[in-house]
Amino acid sequence: MAYHSVREAIAALRRAPGLAILSATSIGLSLFVLGIFGVVAYNLEVTLQAVERRVEVVAYLRDDISAAQLEVLQNDVSSFPEVENVSHVSKFEAMRNAIQQLEEFHDVFTDLEMNPLPASLEVQLRPDFRDPTSVARVAELIALYPFVEDVRYGREWVDKIYQLRRLGGAVAAILGIAFAVVAILIIGTTVRMAVLARREEIAIMRLVGATDGFIRRPFLLEGFITGLGGGLLALLLTYAAFLAVDGSLIDLEWVPASWASGGTLAGGLLGLAASGAALRRHLTTYG
Amino acid sequence: MIKLINVYKEFPRSGLALKNVSFHLRKGEFAFLTGPSGAGKTTVLQVIHMAERPTDGEVRVSGFSSRRIRRRDIPKLRRRVGMVFQNFRLLRDRTTAENLAFALEVTGARRSEIKGKVQRLLAQVGLAARAGAYPEELSGGEQQRIAIARALIHDPVVLLADEPMGNLDERAARSVFELIRDINASGTAVLMATHDLDLVRRYSQYRVIELTEGAIVYDSGNSDGVP
């Protein structure tokens, strides 16, 4: 049974290579649009993540904080579920950083008789807790400690990044679904053409008493192979487009291997699903 | 073995194709189904093959009933009912032997039994030497013989033939008809749709069921009380 399905699927592809190439190309071009969209979406995500990694809460400490109090504060803050990392910046380190980062004020800093910069705790948050609500909550909790002078976290740009991420997510979802629907429609039409081209063969199978399952299997396999071919073509085209743009127009990152292999496999699965739908319709229409 | 009981068939566009059709085709019987074009001959064959379901009434074929049969059981019925058509319906991109093997492969036959059965059937229809020929390399009569061999591939209890000699010259038609008679003589019932009244008169020993406008107007063999 499996032997027959595999042999028939391969034989069908060899008997009508033009139709198979047309189907694979049409699937490939549909998925290519999705692939380009995937690269753009991935790079937007990478950029947003890089910005988000810089979201941190800085707690400025009173000068009279004792070592024991500092240890308690560090331990407490580290144990917050939102917190990824806590690092202490002493008054001396704060001054050294200021001198390094603000070279134009080098003389001002070195002329000071005493160090006016406070020590601080720099608190980095876990990726899932970089939204405005979580950041504000952590800041409020830290501010409750009496030996904390002030807490800063750049409320405005945290809000903006978060809005941008939500907007990006919504646009990506809508566009992704729209492109996927278009791809499915094109693939469905292509496979339906292939099924119609072989309607006589299907009619004869039914005439001689083949079960629906037996009729479907070679077509499903053929749809999967064609879809996989289309997926590989889309991968090649997307990579070629990536190479053409990367470095010359804009610096891009190539999508992870799981995205590339998942996309190619999705081509196969789309071919399989489109074949299944076209056959289902055909088998019920031509009882 | 095949019973049509008060069968009506109505198509949405063309209207009533069968009106109260009843007859009983017995095991091993040979019957002509005659009538002018559009009388409903093909529809009778289609309801027996369960390619169409009756709008009303019942069709019983070898233990299956049109009222109760499940979709997944229809293939089982079709393996017991061979069917041939005027236009042969062979796959043009496969050889004679491959056309026959195809009918076995798609019904899950074991590879070991396919070759032997194909050879036996080719011999039965007198075309053992043409196993490697493609349909277009065969005459019309030879193509119909292959179609008949394919219809016999599952050893059916009945052969339904829809104008099987309609596309053939007289000599080929005679030879195909003799083949169908041989098949009947070996025990397979035959129901043959034809509008060739000369043929029907020549073989007056066979039963004749005549249809006009979807209704049976004459049945020479209706003697068992079927209404």
Side-chain angles (χ1 to χ4, degrees), chain B residues 19 32 54 120-121 136 176:
Chain B
K19 297 174 198 163
F32 288 116
R120 185 170 62 72
L121 276 164
E136 63 190 20
V176 164

Side-chain angles (χ1 to χ4, degrees), chain B residues 135-207:
Chain B
E136 63 190 20
E137 297 166 348
L138 301 174
S139 70
E142 287 173 326
Q143 289 188 54
Q144 192 59 288
R145 282 169 173 270
I146 296 301
I148 291 170
R150 185 180 63 194
L152 297 177
I153 209 134
H154 299 301
D155 303 315
V157 291
V158 61
L159 177 67
L160 305 177
D162 192 358
E163 304 277 3
M165 288 98 76
N167 272 350
L168 305 179
D169 60 44
E170 199 182 329
R171 201 170 144 192
R174 204 180 309 130
S175 134
V176 164
F177 186 66
E178 284 310 316
L179 174 63
I180 293 174
R181 289 185 71 199
D182 288 346
I183 290 161
N184 176 245
S186 65
T188 308
V190 174
L191 182 59
M192 186 171 127
T194 180
H195 56 250
D196 184 352
L197 292 179
D198 285 343
L199 181 80
V200 175
R201 278 188 213 108
R202 217 166 32 244
Y203 293 93
S204 56
Q205 71 271 34
Y206 294 136
R207 180 177 174 186

Side-chain angles (χ1 to χ4, degrees), chain A residues 150-191:
Chain A
D150 192 12
V151 180
R152 300 280 173 89
Y153 63 90
R155 177 192 294 270
E156 274 185 17
W157 67 271
V158 168
D159 282 349
K160 277 182 183 155
I161 290 171
Y162 190 67
Q163 277 176 7
L164 195 63
R165 164 172 286 286
R166 287 180 64 176
L167 181 70
V171 170
I174 291 166
L175 282 181
I177 289 169
F179 284 141
V181 167
V182 170
I184 287 169
L185 287 177
I186 291 174
I187 293 164
T189 308
T190 310
V191 174

Side-chain angles (χ1 to χ4, degrees), chain B residues 69-120:
Chain B
I69 192 165
R70 289 169 299 185
R71 185 181 165 87
R72 67 166 182 268
D73 287 329
I74 290 179
K76 290 179 198 159
L77 170 132
R78 289 183 180 161
R79 293 176 203 181
R80 302 170 88 164
V81 181
M83 191 153 183
V84 289
F85 304 88
Q86 185 173 348
N87 61 354
F88 322 129
R89 298 186 72 170
L90 298 174
L91 293 171
R92 315 208 72 73
D93 55 356
R94 291 168 203 248
T95 65
T96 301
E98 284 168 349
N99 264 281
L100 298 186
F102 179 75
L104 286 168
E105 285 166 2
V106 299
T107 47
R110 284 196 301 275
R111 288 171 67 197
S112 56
E113 69 185 63
I114 290 176
K115 196 176 174 188
K117 192 151 196 182
V118 167
Q119 282 174 342
R120 185 170 62 72

Side-chain angles (χ1 to χ4, degrees), chain A residues 1 3-4 7-8 11 15 198-201 203-212 214-216 283-284 287, chain B residues 49-51 71-72 75-76 78-79 81 83 85 89-91 93-94 102-103 105-108 111 150 153-154:
Chain A
M1 192 182 282
Y3 168 79
H4 167 78
R7 208 191 66 177
E8 279 299 314
R15 264 197 296 271
R198 290 169 63 196
R199 61 185 178 279
E200 185 62 11
E201 194 176 318
I204 289 168
M205 285 186 186
R206 311 195 78 188
L207 179 74
V208 298
T211 59
D212 285 353
F214 218 103
I215 296 170
R216 275 198 194 102
L283 291 177
T284 41
Chain B
H49 204 241
M50 302 226 181
R71 185 181 165 87
R72 67 166 182 268
K76 290 179 198 159
R78 289 183 180 161
R79 293 176 203 181
V81 181
M83 191 153 183
F85 304 88
R89 298 186 72 170
L90 298 174
L91 293 171
D93 55 356
R94 291 168 203 248
F102 179 75
E105 285 166 2
V106 299
T107 47
R111 288 171 67 197
R150 185 180 63 194
I153 209 134
H154 299 301

Side-chain angles (χ1 to χ4, degrees), chain A residues 37-65:
Chain A
F37 173 74
V39 172
V40 173
Y42 178 70
N43 278 276
L44 277 177
E45 173 71 20
V46 166
T47 309
L48 270 174
Q49 273 179 3
V51 175
E52 272 185 352
R53 266 197 296 276
R54 292 168 59 190
V55 171
E56 63 177 15
V57 176
V58 181
Y60 294 103
L61 309 173
R62 288 167 65 107
D63 284 350
D64 57 356
I65 187 171

